[in-house]
Structures are given as structure tokens and as C-alpha cells.
Amino acid sequence: MRQTFDIKGGPQDGRAHLPLLRKELGNMGLDGFYVPHDDEYQNEYLPDANERLAWVSGFTGSFGSAFVFTDKAVIFADGRYTIQAADQTDPELWERQAIPEPGAFGWLAKQKLSGKTVGYDPRLMSPNDVTLLQAAARKAGATLVSVDENPIDKAWADRPPQPMAEVAPYHVKYAGVAHDEKRAEIGKALEEDGIDAAVLTSPTSLAWAFNIRGGDVMCTPLPLGRAILHKDGTADLFLDEAKVSPKLRKHLGNTVTVRPLSEIDEGLGELAGKTVSLDPDLASAWFFDTVEAAGGKIVRQRDPVALPRACKNEAEIKGTTAAHIRDGVAVTRFLHWLDTEAQSGKVTEIEAAIRLENFRDENDSLKDLSFPSISGAVEHGALPHYRVSEASDRTLELGSLYLIDSGGQYPDGTTDITRTVPIGEPTADMIRHYTLVLKGHIALAAVRFPQGTTGTHLDVLARHALWQAGLDYQHGTGHGVGVYLGVHEGPHRIAKAWNDVPLMPGMIVSNEPGYYREGQYGIRIENLQYVTPAAPIEGGEIDMLGFENLTFAPLSRDLIDVKLLTKEERKYVNDYHKQVWKLLNRKLPDDVKAWLKEATKRI
């Protein structure tokens, strides 16, 4: 299922499919329809069968939406995908609008749609988004209609089948805790809150709570399904029957009732008269409507699995550390290749991404990439979420910077690392900007902080050196990461925007400040790190949490201006490189080992 570069989509899809959708809208008595990128499971990466926005428009970006009317079609994409949306949609058919301003709902509110009906699929939208869409439709004078069947699904004659990968047990040696123990603890917390059951709609929560993994989603080993977890720790697990083996049933035991996914409506109906937990950020409006119609009392709260999953146990930390060392070997071999063969100025972005994947493939434990690699040369490096395609592929030119953001999925861990390297001789500005980003990275890696601190409190550390130079970056500084699960997971994060989840021991988070000079180059340095337990500081009065590094691969010494670093920052770089050398050198071929010795010399 790997997709190293983007080969799907294009204007031809919109030309062929837009008329088919409009025909269905007419059959359903609708004047317009809202098409989000999201699918029924709120997946980051969608199965091909759920790529509805791509089918109707040709746009394959991971964040966007559209309104399709009988006489007009408008697509919305944020700054990450402005160029991609322009390349992949037909300008004669699609009007393009930017996110965040005014955004899809803001745009709708300004239209004159008196007497028009606009449809939406409640399975694809959160209740909060439905409320916003309703308000926008009212302002426009339109009537909003919930549909029982998505008109795209009706029009999509050659729609791929839903994925049916077998669901496999996830060994407790990796999980650290048996699945019945996990669910018993969550059930106890539900009972203490006066809740009878929690409806788990996130495949990530299913994977963690039941110690299972699947293969239904690109880059993430997820089983698509649902679950109802009761306060006594028992559960109903809803999966397509083709995914269920005798081995899985034995693994789940007699405290889990495995039911066909088609019975989810019936299962929700059995919650009549009960107090039910639903997460409005993860569960679609359809779940809220169905539980309420059945007579259940809904408590809107965070998925009860999210926080326990985020706080990794000892086995998970041990496993992911081992996975990162193996991954570091592949990345270091790639960095050696970049510093030798790729200095020709003739290597392309796709060739580089495939070369890194090949290095990872040589490790038999690699299961997949953790996301499609961001392989950005020259001006493409200034697009933080750039996805190289056959149309956009360009060379790693001499005198430029190359940014590679990539990761792997291993049975014991999920990796995510970004390195920026010079191709040829870097300019003084490149060196200065890289060093400012490095200072922010070090500040966030080395900080000690009291319990109750959130990622929002720490975000300024990563930006401080840049801010003092009148610079900044327009993305978050850190996201949570799973263990053989999603490379992006909550509920914690490090960003300017407020996050109310304190950083807790065991949480894995990325540390990835950056700088992007539009049209010229991009710089990002990313390691993963986990929160360590509170410990005393000599002479201090409060025990402080901290971070332990997980990612091991050398930094670009040629891009570091030592004069801009403090004594403590130089010590951090030297200590980090000493650790990289110690952990990796015996696992490398002789030529790469010799290169790494130079790459990790003291500065």
C-alpha cells in the first residue's frame, strides 16, 4: 500500500465525474452537496474507496473540501496544497478558494441560495461541523438536508471495494499490557464518571484497546471497525466478518463479543436508557443522531482511550527506542548517500525518496512507511507538507538545500524524522537560518518543566531564536506519535494554539521547528522525544519533567554556525552526536561508519 510519491488524481477526474454527481443530485432533489475530505472513520490517510473528494475533483491532498452545485463547483484547500489544487483541478469546472479565510462554511454563508437545498452526509462530519454548516446554510437562505446515502457513492460506478485486511493480535511483549487489563481500567474510569458505555469510533482506539492491528489504511496498521466498551470492561467489537480469524477470536477471549460491522446500528440501539460517552471530535454526527434516536443519554467527552494510549508504558518505550535505532541506521546510510552520490546535482526528489525507502526496506522488520515522504528540493522545501508527484519532481540542485521528512512503521515503534542537508555549498543565509532553527530545537529538547505544563506553554522555546531575528514558521512544533500506530496522534501537541492536555510521562512528541523562505528553500529539524518522569534538580525545590530523545541520526554540521551557539548548545550537539555514534557505528558498513565518524566530530 506504499505511496512514495503522488501518482493519483488530476483534472481528468473532475471532467469525467462531476457530471455524474450532478445527475445524482438531481435524482435526489438536491441543488448542492458538501464534500469533505474526511471519511467515516476520520482517518488521516483514506482507503481508496473513501477518497470521495479526489474522485469528484481530482484533488488528492489530505486536507480540503468542496461544494458542488448544479451550476457551480468550489474547492477549498489550505496553504499546504494551493499549488497542488491548481495542478489537479480543471479551472473551467472548479473555482478555487483558500483556507482558512473564508473557509468552506464562511464562503457558503455569503452566497444567495434562497429556496435551495444543500445535502450533507452525517457519517462524514462531526456534530460540531454540522452545527457550523447549518448556521452557514441559514445565512445563505438554503435548507440543509441530511442524506441517507451519499450521492457520490451512488454515482461512483467503479468504486474500489472497502479494504478487508485480516485483523491480527498485537503481541503483549510490544503492547506491554494485556487488552483485558486495559479495558478494565477504562471501564473503571467510565463507572466513576457515571457512564455506562463508551462508543469507540476511532480505529486507533480499537487497535490499542484490543491489542490488535490491521492493514486497511495506508501507512498506519489500522483495522476499520467500531466498538462499544462497557463499564465492566467487556466490549462489543464490530468488524467485517472477512477480517476475523479463529486466532483473533482466541486472542480476544470471552470478554469481547465480536459482531459483524453491519450490526453497529443494532448495537447502538441496545444503548437505550444508558449514559453513553461519545467524542465529538472523532465520532460523526450519525453516531450522535443514532444514539439519541435510540434513547441513549450522550455525554460529550474525549475518547477515554486517547490519554491512556498517549502515555506509553515501559515496554512501549523500550520497543520504540529499539525501532528508532534500526531506523536511524537506514537514515544515516541515506544521509551518507546524500553527502556523496547525491551531490552531483542530478538526483531527483523521487529518486531520493525511493533511495531512502530502499535503505529502510533492507531491515526485515519494516512494515510500511509511517507517511508518504516529504522530499523537497530547492523551493519545494519551503512547502512544509509538500508531496512530490511525477509532475512536480525536480532535481537536487547544487547550491541548494534539500529537506527530507520521513518515517517507518515497525512492529515495536513508529518513526518520524526530518533532516535538512546542503547540496553543494550553502549560502551564509542558509547557515544562519539552519542554526537559528537548531537553537530552537535544542531549547525544546533540553527543557525541564513542572507537572501540569502543556505543549502550548513550551512552544515559544522552539521559536524564540527565530522570533528574535524577526522570523517564524506557520505550523505546529510537535505532534504526538503512536507505537506501531498513527504517526500523528493526540490528545497532546506542541503548538501556538491552546491545548489543555498536560504533558505526562511516556508521551511521545515530535520536536520540529523550521524556517521557510518562499521560492528558495526550507529548513526543518525533527526528532521524536518522550516525556520522562518528574525528578529533582540539584538545588531546586520542585521535581521536574523532561524529555528523552528517541531519534538518532546526525545533524548537518556544514550548516551550523558555531559562533551563534552558546556553550550549552554546543555541548548539546556534541553530546547528541556522541550518542548517535555510540548507538549506530557498529551497525553500519565501513564506508558509512567512516563518514559518520566525521559527521559526528565535536564542534
Side-chain angles (χ1 to χ4, degrees), residues 15 20 173 191 226 260 312 326 359 389 411 420 423 431 444 475 510 526-527 578:
R15 288 192 290 268
L20 299 177
K173 72 177 180 181
E191 186 172 27
R226 314 291 192 183
K312 311 302 187 270
R326 296 196 302 275
F359 282 128
S389 67
T420 306
I423 306 299
I431 293 172
L444 185 56
H475 59 73
S510 65
E526 177 187 18
N527 283 358
K578 183 177 180 180

Side-chain angles (χ1 to χ4, degrees), residues 185-418:
E185 283 297 313
I186 295 170
K188 181 180 177 182
L190 292 175
E191 186 172 27
E192 290 174 353
D193 289 341
I195 295 171
D196 297 305
V199 179
L200 305 182
T201 64
S202 165
T204 304
S205 292
L206 266 62
W208 187 88
F210 295 92
N211 283 354
I212 56 178
R213 296 295 188 269
D216 290 335
V217 179
M218 178 185 78
C219 295
T220 315
L222 295 178
L224 297 186
R226 314 291 192 183
I228 300 174
L229 198 161
H230 304 282
K231 64 182 180 182
D232 62 0
T234 64
D236 295 280
L237 178 60
F238 298 86
L239 296 170
D240 283 301
E241 294 173 275
K243 301 177 183 180
V244 180
S245 66
K247 183 179 180 181
L248 178 66
R249 292 184 186 275
K250 181 179 179 181
H251 163 76
L252 294 171
N254 57 14
T255 60
V256 177
T257 302
V258 181
R259 303 172 63 174
L261 184 58
S262 58
E263 291 185 6
I264 184 62
D265 305 58
E266 180 182 330
L268 296 177
E270 294 163 5
L271 298 174
K274 295 186 177 181
T275 303
V276 182
S277 168
L278 271 171
D279 188 333
D281 293 323
L282 297 176
S284 71
W286 179 85
F287 281 92
F288 287 80
D289 296 343
T290 304
V291 172
E292 287 177 347
K297 178 185 176 183
I298 294 176
V299 175
R300 296 188 176 206
Q301 62 175 201
R302 181 183 296 123
D303 181 337
V305 173
L307 197 56
R309 183 186 69 232
C311 298
K312 311 302 187 270
N313 58 49
E314 185 177 346
E316 289 173 314
I317 292 296
K318 180 180 178 181
T320 200
T321 300
H324 276 81
I325 292 172
R326 296 196 302 275
D327 195 70
V329 170
V331 173
T332 299
R333 292 181 65 190
F334 174 69
L335 293 174
H336 164 257
W337 175 81
L338 281 176
D339 200 40
T340 52
E341 295 180 47
Q343 293 292 312
S344 65
K346 299 178 180 179
V347 173
T348 71
E349 294 167 331
I350 289 178
E351 288 171 345
I354 292 175
R355 180 59 68 101
L356 176 53
E357 182 176 336
N358 289 340
F359 282 128
R360 282 194 168 105
D361 266 330
E362 292 184 26
N363 188 311
D364 293 338
S365 65
L366 180 74
K367 298 298 184 182
D368 200 351
L369 304 181
S370 57
F371 58 98
S373 299
I374 298 171
S375 177
V378 198
E379 75 276 6
H380 290 162
L383 305 172
H385 296 89
Y386 170 69
R387 177 88 180 274
V388 61
S389 67
E390 290 176 325
S392 69
D393 192 24
R394 64 159 302 153
T395 58
L396 280 59
E397 295 179 358
L398 293 174
S400 70
L401 294 182
Y402 171 65
L403 185 154
I404 178 74
D405 187 347
S406 68
Q409 289 283 10
Y410 302 88
D412 47 354
T414 301
T415 70
D416 182 4
I417 174 175
T418 307

Side-chain angles (χ1 to χ4, degrees), residues 28 39 86 90 103 145 192 241 357 361 428 437 457 476 478 485 498 512 536-537:
M28 298 173 70
D39 72 351
D90 188 334
V145 178
E192 290 174 353
E241 294 173 275
E357 182 176 336
D361 266 330
V437 171
H457 294 132
L485 279 174
W498 175 246
E512 49 181 311
I537 295 175

Side-chain angles (χ1 to χ4, degrees), residues 28 30 33 121 123 146-154:
M28 298 173 70
L30 297 173
F33 189 71
D121 187 339
R123 295 167 181 80
S146 172
V147 300
D148 294 326
E149 185 176 1
N150 194 303
I152 292 177
D153 299 350
K154 297 175 70 174

Side-chain angles (χ1 to χ4, degrees), residues 441-450 458 461 529 532 544-547:
H441 177 87
I442 293 171
L444 185 56
V447 65
R448 300 291 297 276
F449 53 94
L458 299 183
L461 294 172
Q529 52 198 39
T532 56
M544 295 287 181
L545 302 166
F547 289 117

Side-chain angles (χ1 to χ4, degrees), residues 551-579:
T551 303
F552 307 104
L555 304 165
S556 293
R557 292 176 80 255
D558 291 342
L559 289 174
I560 299 175
D561 184 346
V562 179
K563 297 188 295 296
L564 293 180
L565 298 183
T566 65
K567 179 181 178 181
E568 292 76 15
E569 290 167 340
R570 293 196 298 272
K571 182 179 186 303
Y572 178 90
V573 172
N574 289 330
D575 288 348
Y576 176 69
H577 276 158
K578 183 177 180 180
Q579 187 180 28

